Amino acid sequence: MDNAIESARKPLNAMNRLGDMGHFPPFVHAGATLNVLITITTTWFLQPHFPQPWAPVLWIALVLAANLLPVVLLRLTLTPTTTYPAVADMDFFRDQHKFSDWVYLAASANMAFWVLSSWALFAWTHSLGVLAAVLLLALLATFSPVLMRSR
């Protein structure tokens, strides 16, 4: 079976490689992209008000907690009879807590990268132009799996 088809048909809890994420439905990628863009924009507004060296670390911790707390709470509802849809068939709202554990680590690392990178850039130069450039880069990078599909 073709690797792309195999990845798309895997149940969410059987994801075992980064490439599997490329087969999420476009709405799932759109939600992840929107989350990153909102976080970067919020970072742009916060950064000038918190010059302390610990501030970006605290902001990353708060962002990750806000992203992971619902997952942790929803995972408490999983039972042996829980169904796991195929990667390509997942629902953005109903299935966000059903991934393999490592997926949350990868998503958290990605979010931490965007927060820390944007914080550093905004500390260097806090302008709407830089914000727009970072948002465009994040949009292209985060939504690229959908943009690159040949369907």
Side-chain angles (χ1 to χ4, degrees):
M1 185 186 306
D2 180 91
N3 274 347
I5 295 171
E6 185 179 320
S7 286
R9 300 300 347 139
K10 280 182 190 173
L12 289 177
N13 64 332
M15 293 172 61
N16 61 354
R17 56 189 211 71
L18 206 52
D20 294 342
M21 288 188 227
H23 300 284
F24 291 149
F27 189 65
V28 172
H29 283 288
T33 300
L34 183 61
N35 188 19
V36 168
L37 297 179
I38 289 170
T39 303
I40 289 170
T41 302
T42 306
T43 301
W44 186 82
F45 282 107
L46 288 175
Q47 185 279 324
H49 303 289
F50 298 96
Q52 300 85 354
W54 49 262
V57 176
L58 177 60
W59 178 231
I60 289 170
L62 291 171
V63 167
L64 295 183
N67 280 278
L68 293 173
L69 183 60
V71 170
V72 169
L73 295 175
L74 286 168
R75 287 191 95 159
L76 295 174
T77 67
L78 297 177
T79 68
T81 61
T82 299
T83 59
Y84 295 89
V87 171
D89 299 329
M90 76 165 287
D91 179 88
F92 181 76
F93 296 105
R94 185 184 61 234
D95 300 318
Q96 284 279 326
H97 62 292
K98 296 179 181 178
F99 299 125
S100 298
D101 293 342
W102 69 270
V103 175
Y104 301 104
L105 178 63
S108 295
N110 180 59
M111 185 61 85
F113 165 80
W114 286 112
V115 168
L116 194 55
S117 298
S118 62
W119 191 287
L121 279 170
F122 302 151
W124 175 60
T125 180
H126 194 266
S127 69
L128 285 173
V130 171
L131 173 61
V134 173
L135 290 173
L136 179 61
L137 181 62
L139 171 72
L140 293 173
T142 309
F143 203 66
S144 65
V146 174
L147 299 173
M148 294 173 33
R149 287 187 188 156
S150 60
R151 296 184 213 190

